[in-house]
Amino acid sequence: MERIYLDHSATTPLDKEVFAQMTPYFCEDFGNADSPHAHGRGAQRGVDTARDRLAELLHAKPNELYFTSGGTEADNWAIFGGARGMKERGKARVLLSAIEHHAVSSAAEALRAEGFTVDYLPVDGRGIVAPEALQNALTPDTGLVAVMWANNETGTVQDIPALAKIAKANGSLFFTDAVQAAPYFEMDVTALGVDMLSLSAHKFYGPKGAGALYIKNGSPVKPLIVGGEQERGRRGGTTNVPAIVGLSLAYEKNAGGMVASNGKIARLRALFLREITDLSGVTVQGEGVPAIVNLRAEGVKNTDLVYALDLQGVSISAGAACASGSTKPSHVLLAMGLSEKAAGECVRVSFGKDNSEEEILRAATLFKETVLRLRG
Ligand code: PLP
């Protein structure tokens, strides 16, 4: 029996066509994109095309995109760089939602040692940041506001244009981590009204270790990685040409197939939920992007359920993949008002465009059987 992968929020497989278009940049067009000779120019052409294409799709200018080593670096850069830039303008307070990914919140916490004030915006029981909550929390010294677009544990989606508008009216920079939203939404940075936005290729069938940060021109954002003059002197390090080419192509391909894949994923999600409706004591926590469903199975520890399903060939997760070594309850679910016990009974199932109905039916049956068995 083939294994069933239902953990697309943790990562997705690299698209084979994207992989094929990345490969020449490893061994043939391998030049350093900053070298002035023909080898370098060949690599640079790949980067330029990737940047132009991605910028067009995001409605950004090419020189507003900075390629990074992934979502974590892009998030760290937005927080450290944005906060430090605004501190020079006398605004040394950072405000972030209580449900941010650790790539954002750990960076913000580290800023306390530099004299920053760091405060959190509450969410309601669905995981939503109310625009009024942001309005009430803003102070004249708030330099940076960070609210993620879609949450990685529950899929909850925020009203980014409304939140960005409120932050901007206060003279604050607004950053959104769009890592989990990018696979499912068309992105127009101008319409969103954000100053910074982060992406990670491996969430939309691109390579791991490839990300991007959009920084609106004129934003006072300090560099994070200093070194050479790469990325217009704002991000040192020899350009990772295959990763950049892969990110841009994967984004383009995903965006092109988004309407169809969102529809399919929504149907798979509905099918899974329908198949498990007769299982008592199961509730959905938060709701948003079609791919993610966070389920609490009362009386069953989430890690026990994840391991038991793994043994039967089904991959799901007990929350964020990068926190799976941790025994701490999810900060996202606690912020939504769940008790520690309840949060410890929640698993994340995340669907992908290549899952089949047969897989979903089999996974739902195994899910039901396993929950009942673990409940004894
Ligand atoms: N932000 C969110 C919301 C994520 O889900 C992830 C990945 O799990 C990241 C940031 C980090 O991205 P990367 O894995 O590319 O470092």
Side-chain angles (χ1 to χ4, degrees):
M1 222 19 127
E2 294 251 322
R3 288 196 63 94
I4 303 173
Y5 185 72
L6 295 178
D7 199 12
H8 292 82
S9 300
T11 196
T12 54
L14 178 59
D15 182 285
K16 290 195 172 68
E17 275 176 31
V18 171
F19 179 53
Q21 297 200 49
M22 287 167 64
T23 47
Y25 292 99
F26 286 103
C27 303
E28 293 149 36
D29 294 321
F30 63 87
N32 184 322
D34 283 297
S35 298
H37 46 61
H39 282 91
R41 286 197 302 276
Q44 187 63 51
R45 268 195 300 279
V47 174
D48 289 345
T49 307
R51 192 189 307 278
D52 289 350
R53 206 54 207 112
L54 184 63
E56 195 182 323
L57 292 164
L58 295 174
H59 302 262
K61 297 184 185 72
N63 68 0
E64 292 176 317
L65 294 183
Y66 298 87
F67 293 111
T68 66
S69 65
T72 300
E73 184 193 324
D75 284 355
N76 272 231
W77 185 1
I79 297 298
F80 286 121
R84 289 172 185 155
M86 291 303 280
K87 195 180 184 192
E88 288 182 356
R89 300 186 175 188
K91 288 170 168 274
R93 178 171 180 252
V94 176
L95 197 52
L96 57 154
S97 87
I99 60 166
E100 293 302 300
H101 190 274
H102 289 299
V104 169
S105 56
S106 299
E109 285 299 322
L111 283 170
R112 290 188 197 274
E114 292 178 33
F116 285 90
T117 305
V118 179
D119 289 316
Y120 290 87
L121 290 164
V123 295
D124 65 15
R126 296 164 305 156
I128 306 279
V129 177
E132 306 76 58
L134 172 59
Q135 187 69 66
N136 296 336
L138 284 168
T139 51
D141 68 337
T142 306
L144 175 65
V145 176
V147 181
M148 70 198 311
W149 193 345
N151 182 266
N152 49 302
E153 293 186 40
T154 61
T156 309
V157 175
Q158 309 296 336
D159 185 350
I160 296 301
L163 297 168
K165 197 167 166 199
I166 294 169
K168 302 295 298 163
N170 190 59
S172 313
L173 283 180
F174 186 88
F175 162 60
T176 192
D177 170 339
V179 168
Q180 293 286 346
Y184 315 109
F185 298 138
E186 279 190 22
M187 307 223 161
D188 178 337
V189 289
T190 314
L192 285 167
V194 299
D195 297 299
M196 292 181 282
L197 175 146
S198 60
L199 297 175
S200 173
H202 74 98
K203 307 292 185 181
F204 45 80
Y205 304 86
K208 292 171 184 60
L213 182 65
Y214 158 78
I215 306 178
K216 188 180 169 158
N217 278 342
S219 309
V221 178
K222 298 276 180 196
L224 177 69
I225 296 181
V226 291
E229 285 301 305
Q230 292 91 355
E231 297 293 281
R232 284 121 19 239
R234 293 180 87 179
R235 197 275 187 182
T238 300
T239 309
N240 189 348
V241 182
I244 291 167
V245 168
L247 180 146
S248 183
L249 285 170
Y251 188 87
E252 183 171 359
K253 189 164 178 193
N254 187 74
M258 197 178 264
V259 173
S261 64
N262 280 353
K264 177 179 176 187
I265 287 169
R267 284 193 298 279
L268 295 177
R269 182 184 193 277
L271 178 64
F272 186 86
L273 289 175
R274 196 188 73 206
E275 288 297 304
I276 62 163
T277 38
D278 52 339
L279 189 60
S280 65
V282 174
T283 44
V284 176
Q285 313 302 321
E287 224 157 346
V289 295
I292 302 178
V293 62
N294 191 300
L295 292 168
R296 177 182 176 201
E298 272 173 51
V300 179
K301 209 169 156 339
N302 55 9
T303 44
D304 292 348
L305 184 52
V306 169
Y307 292 137
L309 281 171
D310 182 39
L311 287 175
Q312 295 170 90
V314 183
S315 299
I316 63 165
S317 93
C322 42
S324 58
S326 145
T327 49
K328 281 199 219 141
S330 150
H331 68 288
V332 174
L333 298 171
L334 295 184
M336 286 163 60
L338 271 75
S339 66
E340 289 202 6
K341 179 178 180 297
E345 294 174 343
C346 293
V347 293
R348 177 184 69 184
V349 182
S350 47
F351 307 93
K353 64 183 172 60
D354 298 324
N355 283 134
S356 66
E357 283 191 11
E358 294 68 42
E359 285 181 322
I360 300 307
L361 293 172
R362 189 148 59 86
T365 304
L366 289 168
F367 185 90
K368 279 197 293 194
E369 285 172 7
T370 310
V371 167
L372 291 173
R373 180 161 54 79
L374 291 173
R375 279 180 181 158

